[in-house]
Amino acid sequence: MHKITVNLGMRSYKIIVGRNITGQLGKVLKRLNIGSDAFIITNNFLKNKYGAKLAQSLSAAGINFIFKTVLDSEKSKSIETASIVIKDVAKFDRKKKVFIIAFGGGVIGDLAGFVASVYKRGTNYIQVPTTLLAQVDSAIGGKTALDLASGKNLVGAFYQPRLVFSDVEFLKTLDNKQLGSGMAEVIKYAVIKDAKLFTYLETRHKALSSGSAHALMEIIGSCSRIKALITSKDEKESLGLRTILNFGHTIGHAIEAAGGYKRYNHGQAVGLGMIAAVNLSAVLGLIDRKVSERVKDLIELYGLPVKLKNVPLDKIIKAHYYDKKFSGKENKLVLISAIGQAKIVRNVRLDLIKQAVNSIV
Ligand SMILES: NC(=O)c1ccc[n+]([C@@H]2O[C@H](COP(=O)([O-])OP(=O)(O)OC[C@H]3O[C@@H](n4cnc5c(N)ncnc54)[C@H](O)[C@@H]3O)[C@@H](O)[C@H]2O)c1
Ligand SMILES: [Zn+2]
């Protein structure tokens, strides 16, 4: 079991990563003393598959609970769904000491976090992430979010959970697409901050792709440590330290958008974005070609695409201007100077960015 602390003074919390640990969640919550009545936000699949285990663990610790299921889609990150959920929390809350459990992937985590941030001006909540992406990324750091028709994640607040409880057992039912999405973020952490993790991913591919719980715990532990460290130092993204977590995302988001959010999913697009970013790092002389090839090879090893198909270059370039890392005409890209060493570079020439995107076609 890995235990990691996100150090934020009074708002500090633990991340627990383990195998088959859901039976212990009730006990852990009892010790945390954050409430006696759990409002669990989840979806039907997760409730049917894992709900009984969770329920048993809470019951054994004397915690009262109710399940609230939402639709299994990004559409659940809406003001409409949040409004329904908040009213249900209020119904459940009468004469109780309620806290919220986000039991699901990033969609449920973002929605539940938002509900917790506004109900009674802030209610305790914990994250029980069930996707690889949520365990290594979205459940940590306190970014809560809803989408608007005009854009993703436009509504939300920074609001920290009281605990992140990652049981790798849940990952057994993820399909390859969902695993690939998470792996892209895992590779991202390795490339920007952890050369050891990078080598581990290279050498332990077989174990990881066969779902070894030990290997999964290792990589989730490593990524959680990195995200905990960065978000401890720059909780609200005001110091720019969190920026490096956007590695591969500027071009990645542009690829997602230019493909109409259909051609490539987030993880695939980030994989391609990371290859463009390391190629650009090589063009700028920050790294040797061998290093960029090594990154590309790792991305390929985990089944993510390494060649961009059927998305026109000019559409990607146009879309990348909308990235939030652009202010006015100045751009700011996360590149690398070695494996495990991110570097923020400003005002990169457009022709070089084009060349980097072209290098993945
Ligand atoms: N808050 C943050 O810091 C942050 C960071 C990154 C991404 N996000 C958000 O996270 C969301 C994406 O998260 P995601 O990739 O986890 O997607 P998701 O929550 O939509 O989950 C993907 C799919 O996996 C299913 N699923 C979940 N757990 C499962 C399990 N154990 N077994 C089988 N199926 C399971 C879900 O029902 C869903 O169909 C996006 O909305 C994104 O904006 C937030
Ligand atoms: Zn991402």
Side-chain angles (χ1 to χ4, degrees):
M1 202 192 275
H2 299 276
K3 283 189 187 169
I4 298 141
T5 304
V6 180
N7 280 310
L8 286 167
M10 294 281 284
R11 280 167 290 108
S12 295
Y13 56 96
K14 286 231 159 14
I15 303 167
I16 297 176
V17 182
R19 169 195 203 174
N20 228 337
I21 52 173
T22 300
Q24 298 169 44
L25 178 62
K27 256 195 289 176
V28 175
L29 286 172
K30 200 82 196 160
R31 255 183 267 132
L32 255 184
N33 197 23
I34 56 167
S36 50
D37 304 272
F39 187 92
I40 306 166
I41 305 176
T42 189
N43 65 33
N44 273 326
F45 171 79
L46 291 164
K47 184 183 167 203
N48 293 336
K49 187 83 194 162
Y50 302 109
K53 218 177 198 175
L54 186 59
Q56 209 177 17
S57 178
L58 298 178
S59 290
I63 295 169
N64 176 32
F65 59 86
I66 191 173
F67 282 97
K68 171 72 188 172
T69 57
V70 296
L71 283 182
D72 182 20
S73 109
E74 178 79 24
K75 289 200 181 81
S76 283
K77 272 173 63 173
S78 67
I79 289 179
E80 291 72 23
T81 306
S83 154
I84 295 168
V85 174
I86 289 166
K87 284 174 197 154
D88 284 355
V89 176
K91 262 189 228 154
F92 178 64
D93 190 23
R94 286 197 196 120
K95 293 193 214 136
K96 293 190 178 85
K97 193 173 175 228
V98 77
F99 68 100
I100 290 169
I101 300 183
F103 183 49
V107 163
I108 282 169
D110 282 9
L111 166 74
F114 176 81
V115 169
S117 76
V118 291
Y119 181 66
K120 286 190 171 164
R121 301 188 186 91
T123 295
N124 288 325
Y125 81 112
I126 69 153
Q127 292 274 6
V128 182
T130 62
T131 63
L132 180 58
L133 181 129
Q135 294 191 350
V136 299
D137 190 358
S138 61
I140 307 164
K143 272 193 188 177
T144 76
L146 301 179
D147 302 334
L148 294 180
S150 50
K152 257 180 70 90
N153 299 329
L154 289 179
V155 178
F158 284 96
Y159 187 66
Q160 301 296 342
R162 299 294 308 270
L163 172 74
V164 178
F165 194 85
S166 294
D167 189 340
V168 299
E169 204 61 21
F170 297 134
L171 308 184
K172 279 187 178 156
T173 46
L174 287 181
D175 63 26
N176 282 339
K177 206 173 114 196
Q178 290 153 357
L179 278 171
S181 235
M183 276 316 298
E185 306 291 349
V186 173
I187 293 170
K188 174 191 83 177
Y189 285 111
V191 177
I192 59 168
K193 203 79 186 152
D194 194 340
K196 255 197 200 150
L197 173 62
F198 193 94
T199 310
Y200 190 88
L201 292 171
E202 285 180 326
T203 52
R204 304 282 287 155
H205 169 253
K206 263 211 181 112
L208 283 162
S209 40
S210 63
S212 149
H214 175 79
L216 281 168
M217 276 170 59
E218 279 304 303
I219 62 166
I220 295 161
S222 297
C223 296
S224 301
R225 237 167 258 125
I226 297 169
K227 186 134 188 201
L229 194 74
I230 293 175
T231 53
S232 295
K233 287 192 188 148
D234 187 13
E235 184 185 10
K236 298 193 172 166
E237 221 168 337
S238 49
L239 304 175
L241 298 174
R242 270 180 101 141
T243 308
I244 64 166
L245 295 172
N246 275 301
F247 177 69
H249 281 64
T250 301
I251 303 292
H253 283 147
I255 291 171
E256 256 184 301
Y261 294 94
K262 286 194 189 91
R263 186 79 193 83
Y264 293 105
N265 66 32
H266 182 70
Q268 293 174 324
V270 168
L272 288 162
M274 290 193 285
I275 300 173
V278 290
N279 287 350
L280 186 52
S281 307
V283 166
L284 291 173
L286 297 170
I287 53 168
D288 199 88
R289 271 274 164 223
K290 274 191 214 130
V291 178
S292 57
E293 280 303 305
R294 220 178 132 199
V295 173
K296 185 188 126 210
D297 289 348
L298 187 67
I299 290 167
E300 192 163 27
L301 187 64
Y302 283 91
L304 293 160
V306 293
K307 281 273 168 223
L308 184 66
K309 286 192 194 117
N310 301 329
V311 185
L313 179 67
D314 58 328
K315 257 190 160 177
I316 297 172
I317 297 297
K318 213 170 160 189
H320 103 290
Y321 283 115
Y322 297 113
D323 188 86
K324 54 182 177 227
K325 299 298 143 331
F326 274 78
S327 48
K329 278 202 171 132
E330 182 184 86
N331 64 30
K332 188 166 97 183
L333 291 174
V334 187
L335 303 178
I336 58 163
S337 54
I339 286 185
Q341 193 76 54
K343 186 179 168 72
I344 293 170
V345 183
R346 284 163 211 276
N347 285 323
V348 181
R349 270 168 38 203
L350 186 61
D351 61 312
L352 297 181
I353 296 178
K354 278 186 184 161
Q355 193 184 324
V357 178
N358 232 341
S359 70
I360 54 173
V361 177

